[in-house]
Amino acid sequence: MDDARPAATTGRYIGQRVARKEDTRLLTGRGVYVDDVGVPGMLHVAFHRSPIARGRIRSIDLSAARALPGVFALVTADDLARFKVDMLSFFLAQPVVPVPVLANGRVTYVGDPVVMVVAQDRYLAEDAAGLIVVEYDEEDPVVTLDDAKTGALVHPDTDSNVAAATGAEELDEDLEAALAAAAHLETLAFRHQRISQSPMETRGVVAQPHGSGELTVYLSCQGPQLCARWFAQALELPQTSIRVISKDVGGSFGLKGQPWREEVAVVLGAMLLRRPLKWIEDRLENLTAANQAREQEITLRAAFDAEGRLVASHADYGLNNGAYPQGADSNIAVMMFLWGAHKLPAFSFRARGWFTNTVGLAAYRGPWAIESLAREVLLDRAARRMGIDPIELRRRNLIRRSDQPWTTPMGLELTDISPAECLDVLLQKVDVAAFRAEQAAARREGRYLGIGFATYIEPTAGSTGVAVLMSESAHLRVEPTGTVTAVVSTHSQGHGTQTTMAQVIADRLGVPYEHVEVYEDDSSRGGYGSGAYGSRQAVAGGGACIRAADLLLARIRESAAHILGVRTDDIVLRNGVLHVTGDKPQTVSLRDLADIAYGDPDRMPDGHAGLEAQYRYRPPPITMTSAAHACIVEVDAQTGFVKIRRWVTSEDCGNMINPAIVEGQIAGGLAQAIGSVLMEEVSFDARGNPTAVTYKDYMLPTIFDVPEFEYHHDASMPSQAEGGFRGVGEGGCIVGPPTLVNAIADALIPFGELELELPLTPARLLAHIEQRPEIARPKPAEASEAPAPAADAPADPVPVAAAAHNVPAPSAPQEPFAPASGARIDGGWKFVLSTPMGPQAFDGRLATDGDQLSGVFIMNMDEAHFTGTVTGNQLKWDLKVTKPMKITLKYEAVVEGDTLTGKCKMGVFGSAKLKGERVKG
Amino acid sequence: MKPAPFDYYAPASVEEACQLLADAGGGATVLAGGQTLMPLLALRMSQPFVLVDITRIRALRGVSRSGATTRIGPVTRQNEALADATLQQHQPLLVTALRHVGHHQTRNRGTVGGSIALGEPAAELPATAVALGASVEVRSVRGTRTIPAQELYFGPYATALEPDELLTAVDVPEWPAGTVSLFREIAMRPGDFALVGLTGALTVADGVVTRAGVAWFGMGPTPIKARQLEAALVGQRVDALDAGALTELAIADTAPFDDLHATAEYRRTVGRRVFAAALGEALNLRKAA
């Protein structure tokens, strides 16, 4: 942790719109994507996939496919049984349900890979895949969130379709009373449609085994270091034997944070067959079998006092996890940031992720973005109903700079957010009064203009609570030729980290930008880092580059001073030349120094050769970016089409490395926001068949749909991080949707409050304008409705110890806490706690002394001791923790035989299931 | 690209192409500009045994006139047609429609005949052919026949062409002086197929509508000829025309359906407006001229 706040800086390169290092390569077709990789002896993979969403595999007939000349192998789940594979989440947590690499006995979504075909070329592989005959016993699928609540179990070995849950299962009476008693209660309930990340480059992998049991994996991914670690841990291979190479990437947007089923199948296939294998996902596969995102429902209630100040709020949230999510998730970040920038005294929530027979959940740029959409749309509605200007309502509730430090009810400690100040800047650029006059005049002509505002804060470059996201590394060296090579754990997805990291290094070191080359494409070089994840690269990667450059510069100056016999302080490196002042003024090129450093080390200080430095930088726990956006639209009341006339952004992303790249990030996120609001939707029919399977039906915004954006950067408050940078990778995709929705709703207010049914297609908007019911949609459950667990799924795991044994609960009510005579508690246990970040496994010991309990949890080379009480087989204890935040965890559990079942109450975060198995012997 | 196996032929003459289609016994698909077919082949949504590439048949390319008919070779690229002086002079509606076909890049490859032979019900060119009373010449080893465009389409991508038949010409009658164009398209994004599209021509002589050809696209399983509207328009005095009063007749022949992008109700509602706006615009333009 680094507490010194650096001054705002722009330098020779930092803060400048320098030309991107990547552009010549990428714009002239010389990029190297996975499909450009070929290795000798490479075979090609195609998958035979399930045509049904749910069923049992009765038989697989491979005979016709096997007879096809050129087919090398047909790989099924049985063939992969020899490998032990844990399909870890992005956080490297164990999956909540085992995720088979290939369908094993059952298929769980349309597109579920059943057989991997390996053939001489992709044509033959596809031919063979078409000749495979699989017979299924088809079952009725669980497709929607409503299906998940009432339908059959998606995974028969589980006790409910709840994949993950956080928050309070029961409504808080005090909070409900506060909501009911307030001067104004606003409720917003809506569903967010499912979105495909749709990277221009689909997923792809080339897995090349080497004779010694080593593997080189060419992978389209967000970070080769993290993916190499993932493979090593998931496949229990030594990490030294896995090398992941990922040169150019055509976008990921969260989809490629980790390898998933197909990539793993290809790697295992290469190990099994001892041949290099290649698979490039086609667009049909990408739109149907690559994991997807969003599909959520939320009911948000917020109460205000008579002056429009927030009093209390409650959110009820559901997230479709599909069958095999890349980490079962109830999306705690939604709740963390829903009111993260607002003065809200009381908040509670219930959030659940649900399994369904659809393709699994992955991240998508701003995975928690629905918090901003729900909040900002609700604020506009509340403002209209209370008769308060929507900007004024925001100002009354936003936490200003002068209010900080501030701790939110969710434990977020804020020191330097500035959404209110960004809104101030925005309002200097947008003349609202003039717009309102124009709007009124237009309405008289039957033209409907609208303006929408939204503010948000974005957590970037987190380095707390998530073990895979702590730090980034930079290794720098001056080559013997005098140029600088940097190996950094960042990873460009096409957005230019080779440029930004080179800017930082060149600036800090004092060498020409052209003399710095950045490498970030190979897990065997440099050090661990997560790559393009969580808007972290400018902050964490940039910080690492600054620190490493400072170390290298010190080494350069000390070496030069030693060689020249001058004082270190008399040496400055500028534009690649060492300038010596003082008694012996002269200039020495960095190349001449490097010549000596490598060729004549006896002249170096202490005789050490070379000019090299490395630094692993951990940024502050969280670096907040703030923004306010405004958008002006015209809605054609004849056709329901939306024309975006103006879009103004005002953000505080601290010091900028390259404003053009910052603006590219904002614009890209906003393009995706426009797509989400107006046209994109992954849809399914009632049998779980995807219905938008090509780009004819899955509508992405084009250049015609995305306006020129106006940018206003406020860099007056550098972040606490080295360099003062803040992340900006996801913001447009978070703040864009509410900005646009609010503008459309404002335009159409003469026709009443717009019901938020995404996407807001022309047909839906025209239906609103003409007050017609349009396509019927399932409505999100009302918050007051009792939880509706599956019939055989107990909502509360504690009383039904039998659930842990996967046997049905007896139909007669069971006495929950009846003392079980002779229940043995003392001894060693293996525990699994289902945390919001995924299941966490650890060891522990319990000991009883009469009605006193003592125990210890042992994890990560650390011990947590606790004491509690015993009543029969019922245990209770508290555990105070300080990380990731200060909280008292309240445990309750019952012991039945060799099994412990219970829960951990985590304050406002709700309950997590605890399971324990006795350590035998 | 990873299509299923097929035999590829690139014949140099129509006769050769027809023989190949006949020999394939129904298993052949004609490749022209490939803007629809190539993606379908790549995704294996289309798996023909034989692909007959007709782009090397010079006789199938270019625009000519014969009497009061414009003949367009089916392999004429859409951008070539757009830039063709003959079409600009004699088929202004067709040129307007071509501007809405896909994007500049796809029009460099896409052909006029390919679009008309495919029979996408939400596409611009089939409906325009229907509206203008065009016909297509088709040939096979069994002979040559002419099919009026309005009899060409049975359903989405289903046409009267037999599997062994090759579309060899699109013949578009030239409408007389005093003809105005009607064209409006509502699409999710520029270049997309239509949610609602209207294309047509009206000939006005001495203030009276003497001839009307109007068709819808995106408003049913095929291009829809607005027969009732045409009948109602012919004989009317232009200065007495009330677009608002004709809107129900205008959509009377359509049969729109719900799909992922819009409802049938949306299409009917917007269709009425599209018609009223297009008619008003056409008549205003005529007055201004």
Side-chain angles (χ1 to χ4, degrees):
Chain A
M1 263 285 302
D2 306 278
D3 292 316
R5 167 172 290 199
T9 56
T10 54
R12 185 183 164 99
Y13 300 112
I14 291 176
Q16 307 301 323
R17 295 170 189 264
V18 306
R20 302 201 327 162
K21 283 190 176 281
E22 297 88 343
D23 285 346
T24 305
R25 186 173 80 245
L26 297 182
L27 296 177
T28 56
R30 293 188 181 90
V32 180
Y33 299 89
V34 175
D35 201 23
D36 296 314
V37 173
V39 297
M42 187 170 78
L43 298 170
H44 295 262
V45 165
F47 290 96
H48 178 92
R49 297 177 181 278
S50 172
I52 64 168
R54 178 187 174 89
R56 198 178 60 82
I57 297 173
R58 202 178 331 137
S59 66
I60 301 176
D61 181 355
L62 302 176
S63 54
R66 190 165 278 142
L68 197 67
V71 173
F72 194 86
L74 299 159
V75 178
T76 65
D78 288 347
D79 301 308
L80 300 182
R82 71 181 71 182
F83 297 104
K84 182 180 179 314
V85 181
D86 288 319
M87 293 288 288
L88 303 174
S89 78
F90 173 76
F91 304 119
L92 300 176
Q94 291 286 325
V96 170
V97 297
V99 179
V101 176
L102 295 172
N104 191 4
R106 292 184 63 80
V107 289
T108 54
Y109 57 92
V110 173
D112 199 338
V114 180
V115 183
M116 178 169 66
V117 180
V118 180
Q120 211 65 48
D121 57 45
R122 181 68 177 262
Y123 299 89
L124 286 167
E126 297 279 349
D127 292 348
L131 292 173
I132 293 167
V133 180
V134 182
E135 292 182 307
Y136 299 95
D137 292 324
E138 189 173 356
E139 299 163 11
D140 289 337
V142 173
V143 181
T144 64
L145 284 168
D146 283 344
D147 291 351
K149 293 169 191 170
T150 56
L153 289 171
V154 171
H155 299 294
D157 291 340
T158 55
D159 55 13
S160 104
N161 283 333
V162 175
T166 42
E169 284 162 22
E170 299 88 25
L171 295 175
D172 176 338
E173 285 177 17
D174 293 343
L175 188 89
E176 288 302 309
L179 289 168
H184 182 81
L185 176 65
E186 191 66 40
T187 302
L188 175 70
F190 69 97
R191 171 185 180 275
H192 196 302
Q193 81 277 31
R194 184 181 284 234
I195 293 289
S196 162
Q197 296 88 342
S198 282
M200 191 181 291
E201 183 196 19
T202 57
R203 293 183 296 162
V205 58
V206 172
Q208 182 183 24
H210 303 288
S212 53
E214 293 176 7
L215 268 171
T216 301
V217 180
Y218 300 87
L219 188 69
S220 183
C221 69
Q222 291 174 224
Q225 299 284 354
L226 183 113
C227 288
R229 177 177 171 183
W230 191 96
F231 276 122
Q233 288 184 229
L235 308 183
E236 291 191 4
L237 294 167
Q239 186 160 352
T240 48
S241 68
I242 289 262
R243 178 182 177 193
V244 173
I245 296 175
S246 184
K247 180 96 175 135
D248 291 311
V249 176
S252 296
F253 310 115
L255 175 63
K256 302 172 190 162
Q258 70 194 86
W260 204 237
R261 300 177 71 193
E262 288 85 348
E263 292 104 316
V264 173
V266 171
V267 166
L268 296 179
M271 292 163 67
L272 186 72
L273 304 171
R274 297 170 204 273
R275 288 289 293 268
L277 302 185
K278 178 181 205 170
W279 172 69
I280 302 296
E281 182 177 59
D282 71 22
R283 189 56 66 182
L284 189 62
E285 291 178 298
N286 182 255
L287 284 173
T288 57
N291 286 342
Q292 298 164 345
R294 297 288 196 266
E295 196 179 347
Q296 300 145 313
E297 61 182 21
I298 189 165
T299 300
L300 176 62
R301 293 178 295 155
F304 301 83
D305 68 16
E307 281 75 48
R309 291 190 178 81
L310 281 159
V311 173
S313 176
H314 182 272
D316 194 13
Y317 173 75
L319 171 64
N320 194 331
N321 275 222
Y324 299 120
Q326 285 180 209
D329 197 5
S330 58
N331 212 337
I332 188 65
V334 171
M335 303 306 156
M336 290 294 290
F337 298 102
L338 184 56
W339 296 110
H342 294 76
K343 298 169 186 169
L344 174 71
F347 176 60
S348 92
F349 68 94
R350 176 179 66 164
R352 289 172 297 178
W354 299 88
F355 288 124
T356 61
N357 291 115
T358 59
V359 66
L361 171 76
Y364 180 54
R365 206 170 193 175
W368 57 90
I370 196 171
E371 48 80 27
S372 281
L373 181 58
R375 175 189 64 249
E376 297 297 322
V377 172
L378 180 139
L379 284 173
D380 263 26
R381 285 191 186 191
R384 279 190 288 266
R385 289 221 293 155
M386 289 189 283
I388 300 175
D389 179 80
I391 293 160
E392 179 55 29
L393 183 64
R394 285 178 173 81
R395 284 183 162 157
R396 284 182 198 175
N397 289 288
L398 281 169
I399 298 162
R400 297 192 69 90
R401 281 187 194 172
S402 53
D403 296 319
Q404 298 169 67
W406 184 284
T407 303
T408 73
M410 295 295 287
L412 204 58
E413 290 171 11
L414 304 170
T415 57
D416 59 357
I417 66 165
S418 56
E421 289 76 11
C422 289
L423 185 59
D424 295 342
V425 172
L426 187 71
L427 290 167
Q428 291 165 17
K429 312 294 177 186
V430 179
D431 186 340
V432 179
F435 172 78
R436 289 296 177 203
E438 184 190 359
Q439 180 184 45
R443 276 183 193 164
R444 288 193 289 274
E445 299 167 11
R447 289 168 50 237
Y448 295 90
L449 308 183
I451 191 164
F453 291 90
T455 70
Y456 87 113
I457 56 169
E458 178 188 359
T460 74
S463 74
T464 183
V466 182
V468 294
L469 298 177
M470 286 295 162
S471 61
E472 302 292 334
S473 84
H475 293 199
L476 305 188
R477 60 179 185 263
V478 179
E479 300 288 2
T481 53
T483 60
V484 177
T485 297
V487 185
V488 189
S489 62
T490 52
H491 195 229
S492 178
Q493 306 293 292
H495 62 289
T497 45
Q498 283 180 300
T499 296
T500 50
M501 295 305 118
Q503 282 179 262
V504 168
I505 294 162
D507 196 296
R508 200 72 175 199
L509 213 49
V511 300
Y513 169 69
E514 295 74 22
H515 287 190
V516 181
E517 280 308 318
V518 174
Y519 295 88
E520 48 177 22
D521 58 347
D522 186 339
S523 70
S524 69
R525 298 181 198 162
Y528 173 76
S530 58
Y533 221 93
S535 299
R536 65 189 290 99
Q537 305 205 74
V539 181
C545 286
I546 287 177
R547 293 286 176 86
D550 288 353
L551 289 176
L552 182 57
L553 181 59
R555 166 84 176 145
I556 289 168
R557 292 169 74 207
E558 282 161 16
S559 302
H562 180 80
I563 292 165
L564 297 171
V566 301
R567 296 188 320 139
T568 303
D569 287 348
D570 290 341
I571 296 180
V572 178
L573 179 57
R574 246 189 346 255
N575 206 24
V577 177
L578 292 152
H579 295 263
V580 183
T581 56
D583 300 341
K584 302 178 185 175
Q586 58 184 301
T587 58
V588 178
S589 77
L590 190 55
R591 180 176 182 149
D592 287 344
L593 178 65
D595 252 351
I596 296 167
Y598 290 93
D600 194 1
D602 289 338
R603 297 176 63 191
M604 293 285 283
D606 304 325
H608 286 165
L611 296 170
E612 296 173 276
Q614 67 183 62
Y615 194 86
R616 170 164 296 281
Y617 177 61
R618 182 194 176 189
I622 204 158
T623 296
M624 289 291 185
T625 297
S626 306
H629 285 211
C631 164
I632 292 173
V633 300
E634 178 165 356
V635 183
D636 184 338
Q638 300 293 303
T639 61
F641 272 68
V642 174
K643 172 82 183 159
I644 299 170
R645 290 166 46 130
R646 193 176 174 207
W647 196 306
V648 189
T649 77
S650 160
E651 104 290 326
D652 172 5
C653 68
N655 292 338
M656 286 183 287
I657 300 172
N658 186 328
I661 286 178
V662 167
E663 288 162 13
Q665 287 289 315
I666 296 171
L670 288 178
Q672 289 172 314
I674 291 166
S676 289
V677 171
L678 296 180
M679 57 187 78
E680 292 182 44
E681 179 166 24
V682 173
S683 49
F684 298 92
D685 68 14
R687 301 300 297 171
N689 295 299
T691 51
V693 303
T694 71
Y695 280 152
K696 183 168 183 264
D697 286 321
Y698 188 82
M699 297 233 153
L700 291 169
T702 69
I703 194 67
F704 302 111
D705 306 295
V706 180
E708 292 279 343
F709 303 108
E710 298 168 38
Y711 306 97
H712 299 284
H713 306 293
D714 177 8
S716 65
M717 190 158 66
S719 76
Q720 300 280 346
E722 186 63 76
F725 313 130
R726 301 175 188 274
V728 73
E730 294 161 275
C733 210
I734 300 169
V735 73
T739 308
L740 181 53
V741 167
N742 282 345
I744 295 169
D746 182 57
L748 296 181
I749 202 67
F751 306 100
E753 275 296 345
L754 177 67
E755 189 181 344
L756 186 47
E757 246 183 305
L758 293 169
L760 293 171
T761 59
R764 288 196 175 127
L765 292 179
L766 195 64
H768 169 72
I769 290 164
E770 313 211 324
Q771 311 291 305
R772 278 184 285 108
E774 198 66 8
I775 306 162
R777 286 265 171 214
K779 295 287 177 292
E782 287 300 317
S784 55
E785 184 187 304
D792 53 347
D796 181 345
V798 175
V800 190
H805 301 283
N806 291 324
V807 297
S811 53
Q814 195 183 21
E815 190 63 42
F817 296 121
S821 55
R824 195 160 63 84
I825 294 163
D826 295 42
W829 292 85
K830 285 201 171 297
F831 295 105
V832 177
L833 184 66
S834 302
T835 75
M837 313 303 290
Q840 196 174 18
F842 51 92
D843 296 329
R845 286 190 306 274
L846 298 175
T848 55
D849 180 7
D851 60 358
Q852 296 299 305
L853 173 76
S854 62
V856 60
F857 288 161
I858 305 154
M859 63 179 103
N860 300 334
M861 301 170 63
D862 200 4
E863 296 189 352
H865 294 268
F866 52 83
T867 57
T869 59
V870 184
T871 313
N873 64 341
Q874 182 192 350
L875 316 177
K876 281 189 181 182
W877 70 95
D878 290 355
L879 187 60
K880 285 186 178 161
V881 297
T882 55
K883 285 198 290 187
M885 58 186 62
K886 287 174 192 163
I887 195 168
T888 299
L889 305 174
K890 293 181 172 297
Y891 285 87
E892 295 177 12
V894 286
V895 175
E896 296 272 353
D898 292 333
T899 304
L900 178 148
T901 313
K903 65 180 174 185
C904 167
K905 285 189 182 168
M906 306 175 291
V908 70
F909 295 97
S911 298
K913 284 186 190 180
L914 177 72
K915 289 192 177 183
E917 291 289 329
R918 186 184 304 285
V919 178
K920 299 287 176 57
Chain B
M1 274 301 283
K2 46 180 176 47
F6 54 79
D7 293 333
Y8 173 83
Y9 297 95
S13 70
V14 169
E15 292 71 23
E16 204 184 328
C18 289
Q19 191 60 52
L20 287 164
L21 292 175
D23 292 348
T29 291
V30 174
L31 172 65
Q35 295 306 289
T36 301
L37 183 58
M38 295 301 267
L40 292 178
L41 291 174
L43 297 174
R44 298 198 170 209
M45 290 174 169
S46 174
Q47 300 197 5
F49 295 108
V50 175
L51 212 53
V52 180
D53 180 347
I54 59 169
T55 55
R56 292 180 204 180
I57 305 176
R58 284 166 181 258
L60 294 181
R61 199 153 177 174
V63 177
S64 60
R65 292 183 72 206
S66 167
T69 299
T70 313
R71 169 163 283 210
I72 307 166
V75 179
T76 308
R77 307 286 180 183
Q78 290 152 3
N79 267 349
E80 289 171 355
L82 254 178
D84 186 89
T86 303
L87 289 179
Q88 286 173 356
Q89 188 180 347
H90 299 287
Q91 300 294 349
L93 177 66
L94 196 67
V95 171
T96 299
L98 276 163
R99 280 196 199 102
H100 290 80
V101 177
H103 302 271
H104 178 74
Q105 291 85 345
T106 65
R107 289 194 296 265
N108 278 334
R109 300 287 306 178
T111 65
V112 172
S115 176
I116 287 177
L118 179 67
E120 158 65 52
E124 298 82 359
L125 295 188
T128 301
V130 168
L132 292 174
S135 59
V136 296
E137 180 193 84
V138 299
R139 283 171 65 181
S140 70
V141 293
R142 295 176 287 116
T144 302
R145 64 177 180 136
T146 299
I147 308 170
Q150 67 190 70
E151 294 170 19
L152 185 59
Y153 303 108
F154 295 159
Y157 313 111
T159 69
L161 264 76
E162 297 293 337
D164 65 342
E165 284 181 322
L166 179 68
L167 194 158
T168 49
V170 180
D171 291 321
V172 189
E174 292 170 7
W175 286 46
T179 297
V180 294
S181 294
L182 307 178
F183 192 93
R184 284 249 164 161
E185 179 171 350
I186 305 292
M188 283 294 286
R189 302 166 298 190
D192 279 346
F193 290 115
L195 298 178
V196 180
L198 177 78
T199 178
L202 294 182
T203 306
V204 181
D206 299 329
V208 174
V209 177
T210 56
R211 191 173 168 191
V214 179
W216 293 97
F217 50 108
M219 289 288 273
T222 63
I224 304 283
K225 190 169 169 61
R227 292 169 199 280
Q228 297 178 58
L229 173 72
E230 290 171 357
L233 284 169
V234 173
Q236 294 259 6
R237 286 205 60 80
V238 169
D239 47 20
L241 269 182
D242 178 1
L246 289 167
T247 54
E248 289 310 315
L249 268 183
I251 63 161
D253 291 292
T254 66
F257 36 79
D258 296 352
D259 67 12
L260 290 175
H261 309 299
T263 54
E265 181 57 38
Y266 176 84
R267 291 179 157 93
R268 277 190 290 268
T269 303
V270 174
R272 292 185 193 98
R273 292 169 185 169
V274 159
F275 162 72
L279 184 65
E281 185 181 67
L283 297 179
N284 281 340
L285 278 177
R286 192 178 166 278
K287 274 181 210 153

